[in-house]
Amino acid sequence: MESILVLCCRPDRAAALADPTVRAALGRCGDLAVEFVGPRPDKGIDPMLAGRIVVLGDDTDLAAVVLRLMRRELLGKVIVGFATDRSTSVTELWSLPLGSAAVKLAIAGDPDLVPVVRDDVGGVLVGLGGLLDVRGTVYVDEKRVLQGSAAQVLVEPHTTKGLSVTVVPRRILGFGRRPTAVQGRAVSIGTAPATVLRDGVTYDRPMNRWTFYKHTEPLRLVRGVL
């Protein structure tokens, strides 16, 4: 029988119960084993990564769990469910339900293979990321998609190609070109120092070069309809 473990991304039960949405999610998990692993869990969760795990948290927490799976070479062995009461980039991207339906699906739904996006500083992207205030050159695979400036270059996983890149132009007095999206396996960005975002978290310093690319192995994310 498949083992199921709930990873609650709060430091302890008291902190979890203080958040009404997390408290509600815990209440829907019944008698399942729950580990309180704190936000953005690190290698301390490695011994827990087996069977099916249900992540109660946000996109940043899910990314932290996926990073540990990738580093332990467990992406192909562990099923991951994601449950939240709040709409996030991940829930929108993969059409995941919220609330009680999210918990039900995460516990008993079927996994689907979805791409994992990596970067060249050892991180992963599971929802939405990118760079702000880009002034330079952007390539998606061998195709140049920007030479100049843009308000944002947004990146998210893409089912078939690996990742999707959206260039959001600057707007002057309310006017400007529309955003353009291109899909590929990798995006390389060279720019004046720019702010990097990954799943809602700002990287610790501005960067003048950044690469996102499709990982060789997908994530077994629960998406199946019950």
Side-chain angles (χ1 to χ4, degrees):
M1 183 176 178
E2 177 186 80
S3 64
I4 303 176
L5 176 66
V6 178
L7 300 183
C8 181
C9 296
R10 295 293 187 273
D12 51 40
R13 183 174 292 276
L17 295 179
D19 185 326
T21 60
V22 179
R23 181 172 67 244
L26 285 175
R28 300 176 189 122
C29 292
D31 296 329
L32 292 177
V34 178
E35 292 284 348
F36 296 91
V37 296
R40 302 172 68 180
D42 58 16
K43 62 183 179 181
I45 67 171
D46 288 0
M48 309 173 195
L49 301 178
R52 178 184 296 241
I53 56 176
V54 176
V55 179
L56 300 184
D58 57 23
D59 290 358
T60 306
D61 301 321
L62 177 63
V65 173
V66 172
L67 180 62
R68 296 313 308 166
L69 289 170
M70 184 183 72
R71 291 186 175 176
R72 298 289 294 176
E73 299 184 353
L74 293 172
L75 285 171
K77 299 178 181 178
V78 177
I79 296 171
V80 179
F82 180 53
T84 175
D85 279 13
R86 302 183 179 98
S87 178
T88 73
S89 295
V90 169
T91 62
E92 293 181 4
L93 179 64
W94 302 120
S95 301
L96 301 179
L98 305 177
S100 58
V103 176
K104 182 179 179 182
L105 179 67
I107 292 172
D110 294 328
D112 195 5
L113 300 181
V114 304
V116 174
V117 174
R118 300 182 63 175
D119 59 47
D120 53 356
V121 299
V124 300
L125 179 70
V126 295
L128 181 66
L131 277 70
L132 308 181
D133 190 20
V134 173
R135 290 168 287 163
T137 306
V138 178
Y139 282 88
V140 177
D141 297 338
E142 293 79 29
K143 181 179 180 180
R144 188 174 66 197
V145 298
L146 176 69
Q147 184 169 17
S149 64
Q152 303 175 79
V153 176
L154 302 177
V155 179
E156 62 183 2
H158 185 270
T159 304
T160 57
K161 296 293 187 179
L163 54 81
S164 181
V165 180
T166 302
V167 176
V168 182
R170 299 181 187 280
R171 300 183 68 85
I172 301 175
L173 299 177
F175 296 94
R177 294 178 292 117
R178 293 181 178 180
T180 57
V182 180
Q183 291 76 45
R185 294 184 60 84
V187 56
S188 301
I189 302 169
T191 177
T195 299
V196 180
L197 298 175
R198 294 180 299 185
D199 294 315
V201 175
T202 302
Y203 192 61
D204 58 10
R205 64 185 186 278
M207 298 293 288
N208 57 17
R209 292 189 179 277
W210 196 270
T211 301
F212 288 108
Y213 59 98
K214 180 185 178 182
H215 184 48
T216 53
E217 193 168 13
L219 171 67
R220 300 179 72 195
L221 180 69
V222 177
R223 293 182 64 207
V225 177
L226 292 172

